[in-house]
Amino acid sequence: MFDKVEAFYRPANVREALRLLQSGKGQARVVAGGTDVVVDGDDSVRFLIDITHAGLSYIRRRGTASVIGATTTMAELEASPQIQSLAGGLLCKAAHSCGSMPIRNLATLGGNMANGSPAADMATPLLVLDAAVVMADAKGRRRLPLAEYLGNARSNRYARSLVVEIVIPDPPRGKGCRWSFQKLGRTAVDISLVNVSAGLHLDSRGRVKWVRIALGSVAPAPMRAPGAEQRMTGRILDQALLAEIGAEVAREVSPISDARASAEYRREICSVLTRRALEECSAPAGCSL
Amino acid sequence: MSRDRLVVGRNVRKVDGVKLVTGGAAFTDDVQIPGMLYGKILPSPHAHARIRRIDTRKAKALAGVHAVLTYKDVPRVPHTTAGQAWPEPSPYDTYLLDSKVRFVGDRVAAVAAESRAIAERALALIEVDYEILPAVLDMEQAMAPGAAVIHDEPDSTKIYDREHNIAGYILREIGNVEQGFADSDYIVEREFRTQRQQHCPIEPHITISWLDTDGRLVIRTSTQVPYHSRRQVAMILQIPVSRVHVIKPRIGGGFGGKQEMLLEDICGALTLATRRPVKIEFTREEEFYMARSRHPQRLRMKMGVTRDGIVLASQLTVLATTGAYGSHSTTVQGNTGSKVLPLYRAPNMRFECHVVYTNNPVAGAFRGYGCPQGFFAQETLVDEIACELGMDPLEFHRKNVIRLGDTDHLSAQLGEGKEGLPRLVRSCGLPQCMERAARAIGWAQKRKSLPNGHSHLRRGVGMACTMQGSGIAGVDWASAFLKMNEDGSFYLQVGASDVGGGADTVLAQIAAETLGVTLDKIIITSGDTDITPFDVGAYASSTTIISGGAVKKAAGKVRAQVLDLASKMLDAPVDKLDCGNNEVFTTCVCRKAVSMTDLAMQAMYKEKLQIMDGASHFNTDSPPPFCATFAEVEVDTETGQVRVVHLATAVDPGTAINPMQAEGQVEGAVAQGLGYALTEELVLDAAGRPVNANFLDYKMFAAEDMPKLTTILVETDEPLGPYGAKSISEVPINGPAPAIANAIFHAVGVRIRKLPIRPEDVLRALGAKRAANLEEEALLTP
Amino acid sequence: MFGSRGVFAMKTMELHLTVNGQSLNWSIAPGELLLDVLRRQGYFGVKRGCEKGECGACAVLVDGKPINSCLMFAAQAEGRHVLTIEGVAIDGKLDPVQEAFLDHGAVQCGFCTPGMVISAKALLDRRPDPTEDEVREALAGHLCRCTGYLKPVEAVLAAASKRKNRARRVKPLTEVSR
Ligand SMILES: Cc1cc2nc3c(=O)[nH]c(=O)nc-3n(C[C@H](O)[C@H](O)[C@H](O)COP(=O)(O)OP(=O)(O)OC[C@H]3O[C@@H](n4cnc5c(N)ncnc54)[C@H](O)[C@@H]3O)c2cc1C
Ligand code: FES
Ligand code: FES
């Protein structure tokens, strides 16, 4: 499969990695956990650049944000106390759902984003958390909103850049803030047929102060549901609103039919999972549901 | 010999267990042979095409390529890949390589090269000009006038009606079904559909072949049928059987998929062409494309009952597709009738079946062998009838199922591709199976009331009863050979093929029990055509009863020789002797004894006698094992997902020679049955190409998906089996699908008659039911 | 050898790693997968079931953690400690997990067994007293077509309690020796 590969590099820092990527002239491929690279089995690859020694495995606080290095594995995310206490453990839950234990010991957060799959399970929780991606290329570093990055991850635009880290600004906190990650697969270990993340901040009277809804596997890239979010803001969350939001997200998504599920089914599940996510977010807050 | 059994009926460790848990080099691929080439098959990209021109020059010119074979280079011998006893009932419609391809994945050419990478590159260099033919992909269209003829070659034989793509046709009737329906108070007829399920052994098919120093072709292969493979390879390659040696090492699962000769012939041909060792192994993707699957069927079932729920007539009409080749076509489908309908004591039964060719992946033998399809239809229909009559399905079963002393006459009409033999039920634990599994699931309470408030999660329970056979009556046979070693141990040689189910252990237990020695005193070699005597192989639930019968007979003869010598040594008459605990002892008060070791030394060095003997064995009846499956499910009415909460399976296997292994067979079959019910299907696109040829999208159950399992062995004493054993490995796979479908009905009131039961289908059915209810309400309100 | 400076484009490279406690030095192709290299070197207990990370038959421990060796480039194992099934039994003495697999009938064809045993061992090293759910989760990456998973799960739970008992027995001794 990779028998035409001529060299395997293990750069010790980002600069070196970028230099190798540059000199690979399009025939170099970055490897982090390799769980997507190997399965893809791209025959045109001549150089492999293993970035897991480039100093990108970390989970830190920086000012009012959490910062996760690109090569942090799913297993490391799950086990991190800092990530467990962030947004009610939303990212831990999502990381835990990414494949089996042997996969999660390899698979990285950066790889999950860079691979650009619409079903990437880490994407929707990060969208809900207003995360940003820090990229590096020959010209330097820059920061992109995650949604923008995901929209282009499958294009050639970032071919000569690296995802360095993911920055998560501190989300709203407090009694009325809740989070939910919902994933529907055919079996326990599965690629999402649909996944939904939600973050909800209710005021003391049960009115929606702030809300984020993101859906995966139902559009070319993981997406926010701005229409639904707008409709909710300022309103009391009750069954009628939930039904309305369920219908709204079903309108906002554009799923396809494939071997895993039909578009019709995915659309219906979007409503169900969104409702369940919002219910989970609102239940302990003691609102009208 | 009336003592307690010391080895049979005990939970002993697998005799080959240690090498398996330590990762010992035990499987086909666990050898390195110097100079071994890597073989690879070029698969057809088209469902139906003729090869106009094929040019292998570039591939042959590639450095490291040693052979490229096309149909022009090999003998043309019509055969079947089905590993069945000669003369195989399956059509001879397959060729080593052919100028026509009949499904996506069909063999076009084969290469042998110095590495996998070179072999793959060589495949890409083969230039093929295809004349693409219209393909028949829908089995409903296969017999239609004007449909493309898939087997238009004149030299294929045993095809029922090639002009209409009919590989096989079956029609059998006992009693008078029309009369039966006329006498019935209540008749229900429904249509069911089942899917293409794959075996998915974790070890894909693999074969390594080479020429030994005498120039004989040695084939080390992952097979359930070493002897049939030897015969077929010799015929296809046109060399004498004596020039072929097949070795079956440890096998990483078969489930019927390896009762099939898929690689041995082409691998052998490459070895003959190159004079070099060659290995061919399927990748997982190739396994999905090129290996076999369970026959998809459309079943129409009709049943007539009296007012008080007695079945008077049943009729099953089946359309099945065997894909591009007729491997196991009529025999699998025959079972759909003969092993399924006679579960009920109806005096009138009719079974009709068309098995058609399509340009789809090839179906074949698969654990259950036609029964899972039939029982899905029958047991779902019966549940519907019982519910309509207001009768507890369990009560309906109690009233109608076959009993001890009954004769199943349909089997007499439907044998292995010909007339069969009537089946007499000489042992039957079905009533206890039903009662005990019902108790385990909490049937009585749960049928009446389940805590289904207003939640979107709704629970229900359902049941199914099933049966199978134990070997093919009058066809399957086996042999065994035993010789005594100087230390009082015995060397057991059997042709039987342990494919992971633990046959070696069970056969060694039978030998040890008969000879009165501990299990460690039996050394077993199995499935090597040079070393071991003949056996048809591991299929049709035959190994324990047929191969075990041969071992018991052989061991009995050897035991007689042991006792003869002991009688001399102990100066006691044979009828006053017994063996046990590695010695022979007198049964009278004097309690004299001689150890097996001393006896062996005496035999070999004093008497100049090798204690040894062999025996062959077959049965003229196929005693049915019985099974009751009870399921509790939870249906999510918003997503349509079905979670099986608890599955209880009670099986009557006759005597369980090794209860722990027997339970393992049940649990493994149940896991496959759960996948069949809910998640597993090889899906084809509009061009006949599999779209989910990997484990990420072909969904088998994993450890986290399994429900709570209860396994109950209801032991009976089968007169035709060694130590009372029948069989166990197949029957439990039949029950999960209908039991789950019935539990879903109990939970949410919708009948699903198509497998697998996908969440989408449940959701759609729930939607339809809701719409119908609304309509009804609208009609009722003025 | 081929650190950040190693920009030599050659078709083979050196790999230094430890396998089952043995320090080794192999010549590999840069694109080779760990599974292929291990099998070529005779570690036949590492099985090939799908080559896509889906079946777990190829699992080994790298620095104590289970991974699918079919998804890891061999070059990524540079300097690391690999444990294959061949290294689980020490001097012919089976690990409690292996013993329990035999005693509980958790082995049928045995093709998935090395992977399951390796993952179970890693679990018990990390969590000596796991719940049934944790065991099922740890085995979720290992497809087994034979057993229906019940007996493997029972075996791992039994091994856990056996290891616990052994640990209890062993403890005073270590205190004395200190
Ligand atoms: C059996 C199996 C099950 C899976 N289950 C799930 C699941 O449930 N949910 C899910 O979301 N995913 C799943 N995946 C997919 C995969 O594991 C994840 O997407 C994983 O996070 C990818 O990370 P990686 O480090 O392995 O990526 P790699 O394979 O190393 O890389 C993926 C892609 O990103 C590029 N890349 C990696 N890191 C960077 C970087 N820092 N900068 C720029 N480019 C980079 C690579 O060049 C490559 O193109 C599964 C995969 C397998 C094999
Ligand atoms: S072979 Fe590696 S997971 Fe299947
Ligand atoms: S024992 Fe055969 S696959 Fe697990």
Side-chain angles (χ1 to χ4, degrees):
Chain A
M1 207 170 14
F2 292 99
D3 50 287
K4 297 196 196 99
V5 171
E6 290 166 15
F8 191 98
Y9 303 114
R10 305 192 315 133
N13 55 54
V14 172
R15 201 165 31 95
E16 187 66 25
L18 285 170
R19 196 182 59 73
L20 289 165
L21 197 53
Q22 205 66 26
S23 61
K25 300 200 177 60
Q27 295 185 314
R29 189 82 176 260
V30 170
V31 182
T35 60
D36 284 320
V37 171
V38 174
V39 172
D40 283 356
D42 182 348
D43 212 27
S44 67
V45 175
R46 295 292 174 277
F47 310 100
L48 292 168
I49 304 168
D50 175 3
I51 57 163
T52 56
H53 301 269
L56 297 178
S57 298
Y58 53 80
I59 299 168
R60 292 187 189 133
R61 292 284 306 161
R62 193 182 296 148
T64 56
S66 300
V67 186
I68 306 174
T71 58
T72 307
T73 65
M74 301 297 170
E76 286 161 354
L77 286 174
E78 282 178 74
S80 154
Q82 187 184 327
I83 300 300
Q84 280 161 8
S85 63
L86 177 69
L90 179 66
L91 287 174
C92 292
K93 209 173 155 194
H96 186 73
S97 83
C98 283
S100 60
M101 186 100 64
I103 295 288
R104 301 199 300 275
N105 281 330
L106 291 173
T108 67
L109 182 62
N112 198 246
M113 296 301 101
N115 192 51
S117 161
D121 280 313
M122 298 310 290
T124 57
L126 288 172
L127 283 172
V128 157
L129 289 167
D130 294 326
V133 177
V134 174
M135 311 276 302
D137 61 15
K139 285 184 235 114
R141 295 197 176 197
R142 69 206 150 108
R143 196 163 153 160
L144 288 179
L146 179 65
E148 184 187 334
Y149 175 78
L150 291 174
N152 296 304
R154 285 236 152 146
S155 74
N156 246 346
R157 189 174 302 179
Y158 309 127
R160 305 259 167 117
S161 16
L162 278 188
V163 173
V164 173
E165 60 189 22
I166 308 285
V167 180
I168 304 163
D170 282 346
R173 289 145 81 79
K175 213 167 110 254
C177 287
R178 303 283 164 174
W179 310 88
S180 177
F181 175 76
Q182 302 280 332
K183 170 171 174 173
L184 188 99
R186 295 155 296 185
T187 56
V189 174
D190 197 6
I191 301 294
S192 289
L193 300 184
V194 176
N195 70 55
V196 174
S197 293
L200 183 66
H201 188 180
L202 295 178
D203 69 14
S204 52
R205 284 172 305 158
R207 223 179 285 276
V208 176
K209 265 175 81 173
W210 178 93
V211 63
R212 291 284 182 276
I213 299 170
L215 300 106
S217 218
V218 288
M223 57 174 276
R224 285 258 300 272
E229 291 174 3
Q230 245 160 41
R231 263 172 199 258
M232 286 181 74
T233 313
R235 291 171 66 184
I236 296 273
L237 191 59
D238 55 15
Q239 285 298 346
L241 182 57
L242 279 180
E244 189 184 324
I245 295 306
E248 177 63 26
V249 292
R251 269 194 296 278
E252 290 189 79
V253 297
S254 51
I256 55 159
S257 292
D258 61 15
R260 294 172 190 154
S262 70
E264 184 194 5
Y265 182 68
R266 283 200 165 97
R267 205 179 282 279
E268 187 149 2
I269 293 304
C270 285
S271 302
V272 174
L273 292 194
T274 301
R275 219 190 52 232
R276 286 186 184 173
L278 293 172
E279 273 172 348
E280 185 184 347
C281 288
S282 57
C287 78
S288 54
L289 289 170
Chain B
M1 225 206 312
S2 62
R3 57 181 163 76
D4 280 349
R5 287 171 190 165
L6 297 171
V7 195
V8 158
R10 309 264 162 169
N11 288 333
V12 299
R13 285 182 170 193
K14 258 173 93 83
V15 294
D16 50 347
V18 171
K19 66 172 170 258
L20 296 176
V21 286
T22 54
F27 295 86
T28 302
D29 197 25
D30 300 348
V31 288
Q32 273 161 353
I33 301 173
M36 185 163 78
L37 301 175
Y38 201 97
K40 199 94 192 143
I41 297 168
L42 179 66
S44 165
H46 304 295
H48 199 190
R50 215 174 286 284
I51 299 173
R52 265 201 215 112
R53 199 180 57 85
I54 184 161
D55 187 344
T56 60
R57 278 172 297 182
K58 280 187 194 149
K60 278 182 179 150
L62 185 69
V65 172
H66 287 252
V68 182
L69 300 180
T70 71
Y71 69 92
K72 296 173 195 163
D73 308 304
V74 298
R76 183 176 172 86
V77 181
H79 65 271
T80 174
T81 57
Q84 299 176 306
W86 182 86
E88 303 91 332
S90 299
Y92 280 15
D93 57 5
T94 312
Y95 302 85
L96 182 50
L97 289 162
D98 199 357
S99 56
K100 188 176 167 184
V101 288
R102 300 176 182 83
F103 70 101
V104 177
D106 205 354
R107 288 177 185 176
V108 175
V111 304
E114 268 158 33
S115 72
R116 176 170 170 179
I118 299 172
E120 278 165 6
R121 239 170 278 163
L123 291 188
L125 292 175
I126 299 174
E127 290 169 9
V128 194
D129 177 13
Y130 294 101
E131 176 195 346
I132 297 175
L133 303 171
V136 182
L137 296 169
D138 178 357
M139 69 174 174
E140 318 256 354
Q141 301 302 318
M143 297 186 286
V149 176
I150 295 170
H151 285 280
D152 50 355
E153 68 285 354
D155 42 352
S156 289
T157 57
K158 298 197 258 189
I159 297 175
Y160 179 78
D161 175 0
R162 72 177 75 228
E163 298 307 317
H164 297 95
N165 292 319
I166 306 174
Y169 173 73
I170 305 164
L171 173 63
R172 296 287 190 275
E173 181 164 351
I174 61 168
N176 181 336
V177 177
E178 285 316 313
Q179 191 57 49
F181 287 128
D183 295 343
S184 299
D185 299 315
Y186 185 62
I187 298 169
V188 185
E189 181 170 12
R190 296 283 180 251
E191 187 172 293
F192 300 85
R193 270 166 204 278
T194 66
Q195 80 281 32
R196 190 172 273 109
Q197 181 188 27
Q198 255 229 348
H199 309 78
C200 301
I202 305 303
E203 177 201 44
H205 285 76
I206 173 165
T207 299
I208 299 175
S209 60
W210 66 91
L211 296 174
D212 70 10
T213 42
D214 295 319
R216 291 169 75 225
L217 180 63
V218 186
I219 301 177
R220 179 181 165 96
T221 185
S222 184
T223 183
Q224 295 172 228
V225 284
Y227 274 91
H228 294 331
S229 291
R230 179 179 70 163
R231 190 189 70 241
Q232 292 173 328
V233 166
M235 178 179 85
I236 295 164
L237 299 180
Q238 302 193 321
I239 54 181
V241 166
S242 60
R243 302 296 290 168
V244 183
H245 173 191
V246 175
I247 301 168
K248 174 212 75 77
R250 292 301 96 188
I251 304 303
F255 318 112
K258 293 174 182 171
Q259 191 198 340
E260 197 91 33
M261 198 215 27
L262 295 184
L263 294 175
E264 290 85 349
D265 56 342
I266 191 85
C267 197
L270 287 169
T271 283
L272 293 184
T274 58
R275 317 298 289 175
R276 291 271 291 263
V278 177
K279 164 164 102 181
I280 308 189
E281 59 185 331
F282 276 158
T283 62
R284 181 57 56 187
E285 190 182 22
E286 287 169 339
E287 182 78 17
F288 276 110
Y289 271 74
M290 298 175 165
R292 303 303 185 231
S293 50
R294 194 185 293 293
H295 293 80
Q297 292 186 354
R298 184 198 71 200
L299 310 96
R300 282 215 183 91
M301 184 146 196
K302 185 174 173 186
M303 221 178 220
V305 297
T306 65
R307 205 163 292 113
D308 37 343
I310 301 293
V311 182
L312 293 185
S314 60
Q315 173 177 304
L316 180 58
T317 312
V318 172
L319 173 66
T321 181
T322 184
Y325 298 99
S327 176
H328 297 271
S329 48
T330 39
T331 42
V332 161
Q333 267 56 235
N335 251 14
T336 305
S338 70
K339 298 268 192 302
V340 173
L341 297 179
L343 181 70
Y344 294 97
R345 310 176 79 208
N348 311 295
M349 295 178 200
R350 185 173 188 274
F351 176 67
E352 183 177 14
C353 177
H354 286 92
V355 193
V356 296
Y357 289 114
T358 47
N359 294 109
N360 288 324
V362 184
F366 192 159
R367 191 181 211 165
Y369 208 77
C371 291
Q373 297 97 316
F375 279 117
F376 172 60
Q378 173 164 291
E379 290 302 284
T380 313
L381 186 74
V382 157
D383 194 78
E384 181 169 352
I385 294 172
C387 291
E388 287 293 314
L389 292 174
M391 206 170 166
D392 180 347
L394 178 57
E395 186 53 34
F396 186 94
H397 279 89
R398 283 192 193 116
K399 274 192 175 179
N400 284 294
V401 293
I402 193 165
R403 293 173 198 174
L404 189 68
D406 281 358
T407 303
D408 146 24
H409 291 286
L410 193 63
S411 287
Q413 293 214 7
L414 250 178
E416 176 87 341
K418 53 181 181 188
E419 297 236 321
L421 296 156
R423 281 214 286 184
L424 174 61
V425 180
R426 296 176 183 82
S427 62
C428 181
L430 186 53
Q432 298 91 303
C433 286
M434 286 194 278
E435 303 313 322
R436 290 183 59 189
R439 213 174 312 135
I441 211 88
W443 180 262
Q445 315 84 281
K446 287 181 180 155
R447 262 328 259 199
K448 273 188 236 115
S449 62
L450 275 160
N452 282 334
H454 288 292
S455 159
H456 63 278
L457 299 175
R458 303 193 70 84
R459 294 218 173 178
V461 290
M463 68 165 292
C465 287
T466 60
M467 64 180 186
Q468 197 86 30
S470 307
I472 306 166
V475 173
D476 285 344
W477 73 278
S479 57
F481 187 83
L482 269 157
K483 63 179 182 185
M484 193 177 204
N485 302 316
E486 282 147 296
D487 62 352
S489 66
F490 295 87
Y491 188 47
L492 171 62
Q493 291 155 297
V494 289
S497 305
D498 190 332
V499 288
D504 282 2
T505 307
V506 161
L507 298 178
Q509 281 179 271
I510 291 172
E513 185 69 46
T514 311
L515 291 163
V517 297
T518 47
L519 190 61
D520 59 304
K521 296 285 185 256
I522 306 291
I523 317 300
I524 182 166
T525 292
S526 62
D528 181 315
T529 59
D530 268 15
I531 298 172
T532 65
F534 183 87
D535 193 295
V536 289
Y539 58 87
S541 293
S542 64
T543 301
T544 300
I545 191 162
I546 304 291
S547 310
V551 169
K552 185 156 183 263
K553 261 191 205 169
K557 288 178 169 180
V558 167
R559 178 191 158 92
Q561 294 179 21
V562 166
L563 292 189
D564 260 350
L565 181 56
S567 150
K568 251 175 142 181
M569 291 172 75
L570 296 176
D571 193 19
V574 166
D575 62 358
K576 289 280 178 312
L577 292 176
D578 198 357
C579 348
N581 243 331
N582 303 324
E583 57 179 27
V584 185
F585 49 85
T586 59
T587 49
C588 50
V589 275
C590 68
R591 276 276 160 200
K592 287 188 286 188
V594 55
S595 72
M596 287 286 180
T597 315
D598 291 346
L599 189 141
M601 292 301 273
Q602 174 80 17
M604 294 184 111
Y605 297 106
K606 297 270 159 52
E607 306 282 332
K608 314 280 187 282
L609 170 73
Q610 168 70 66
I611 292 180
M612 61 178 172
D613 218 331
S616 302
H617 183 70
F618 75 102
N619 274 340
T620 52
D621 201 345
S622 175
F626 295 99
C627 180
T629 308
F630 282 68
E632 177 170 358
V633 304
E634 182 177 86
V635 182
D636 183 331
T637 55
E638 293 175 350
T639 63
Q641 281 178 309
V642 176
R643 185 169 74 89
V644 182
V645 181
H646 184 186
L647 201 103
T649 313
V651 187
D652 158 21
T655 298
I657 305 283
N658 184 329
M660 176 171 84
Q661 281 191 183
E663 286 166 12
Q665 287 300 306
V666 176
E667 289 148 13
V670 160
Q672 292 178 357
L674 284 163
Y676 188 56
L678 296 171
T679 55
E680 290 183 37
E681 176 173 19
L682 185 62
V683 182
L684 308 179
D685 67 11
R689 195 171 294 122
V691 296
N692 57 340
N694 58 66
F695 284 149
L696 207 53
D697 281 320
Y698 182 95
K699 278 290 169 191
M700 314 194 307
F701 271 51
E704 273 179 298
D705 305 308
M706 293 298 293
K708 173 183 169 192
L709 296 184
T710 303
T711 307
I712 301 162
L713 300 179
V714 173
E715 295 194 55
T716 57
D717 190 5
E718 170 58 44
L720 295 187
Y723 295 104
K726 293 191 276 194
S727 67
I728 195 157
S729 65
E730 289 190 277
V731 72
I733 202 174
N734 301 322
I740 289 167
N742 295 337
I744 292 172
F745 178 77
H746 185 227
V748 294
V750 299
R751 287 269 171 216
I752 310 286
R753 302 193 181 89
K754 179 173 148 283
L755 294 180
I757 302 173
R758 301 177 311 163
E760 297 197 25
D761 302 328
V762 175
L763 207 54
R764 200 171 304 121
L766 284 168
K769 184 180 168 235
R770 223 168 289 136
N773 283 351
L774 284 178
E775 216 167 273
E776 206 168 291
E777 259 169 52
L779 284 175
L780 290 178
T781 38
Chain C
M1 249 339 258
F2 54 99
S4 56
R5 308 257 136 231
V7 194
F8 43 82
M10 52 185 286
K11 297 273 167 70
T12 64
M13 62 192 280
E14 292 274 297
L15 172 66
H16 314 271
L17 79 173
T18 307
V19 182
N20 302 336
Q22 220 185 334
S23 174
L24 297 162
N25 202 340
W26 290 335
S27 170
I28 61 165
E32 272 190 291
L33 296 166
L34 184 59
L35 166 66
D36 294 322
V37 172
L38 286 172
R39 286 193 62 84
R40 187 173 67 233
Q41 294 294 337
Y43 297 91
F44 290 127
V46 187
K47 299 294 180 209
R48 185 193 310 277
C50 70
E51 301 177 292
K52 286 196 167 105
E54 294 151 358
C55 75
C58 66
V60 299
L61 302 190
V62 173
D63 295 339
K65 290 185 199 147
I67 58 101
N68 299 315
S69 64
C70 69
L71 291 183
M72 188 186 237
F73 290 102
Q76 286 178 293
E78 173 70 24
R80 304 176 80 172
H81 287 261
V82 175
L83 184 77
T84 72
I85 187 69
E86 286 90 347
V88 172
I90 295 163
D91 297 331
K93 188 164 165 28
L94 301 188
D95 186 90
V97 174
Q98 293 172 312
E99 297 277 3
F101 264 61
L102 293 173
D103 286 334
H104 288 261
V107 184
Q108 283 191 33
C109 79
F111 203 78
C112 69
T113 307
M116 287 229 201
V117 168
I118 277 281
S119 269
K121 185 179 150 48
L123 172 72
L124 297 188
D125 288 347
R126 196 163 32 90
R127 285 193 65 85
D129 198 8
T131 63
E132 178 176 337
D133 283 349
E134 286 170 326
V135 172
R136 286 191 182 269
E137 220 246 284
L139 296 184
H142 299 275
L143 294 177
C144 172
R145 198 52 160 167
C146 301
T147 63
Y149 309 99
L150 181 58
K151 298 206 183 305
V153 169
E154 285 172 352
V156 177
L157 289 170
S161 57
K162 210 156 126 195
R163 273 169 47 140
K164 214 168 52 191
N165 291 339
R166 201 177 52 174
R168 216 175 283 137
R169 276 203 309 277
V170 166
K171 218 178 203 161
L173 273 178
T174 44
E175 274 166 12
V176 169
S177 66
R178 229 185 273 138

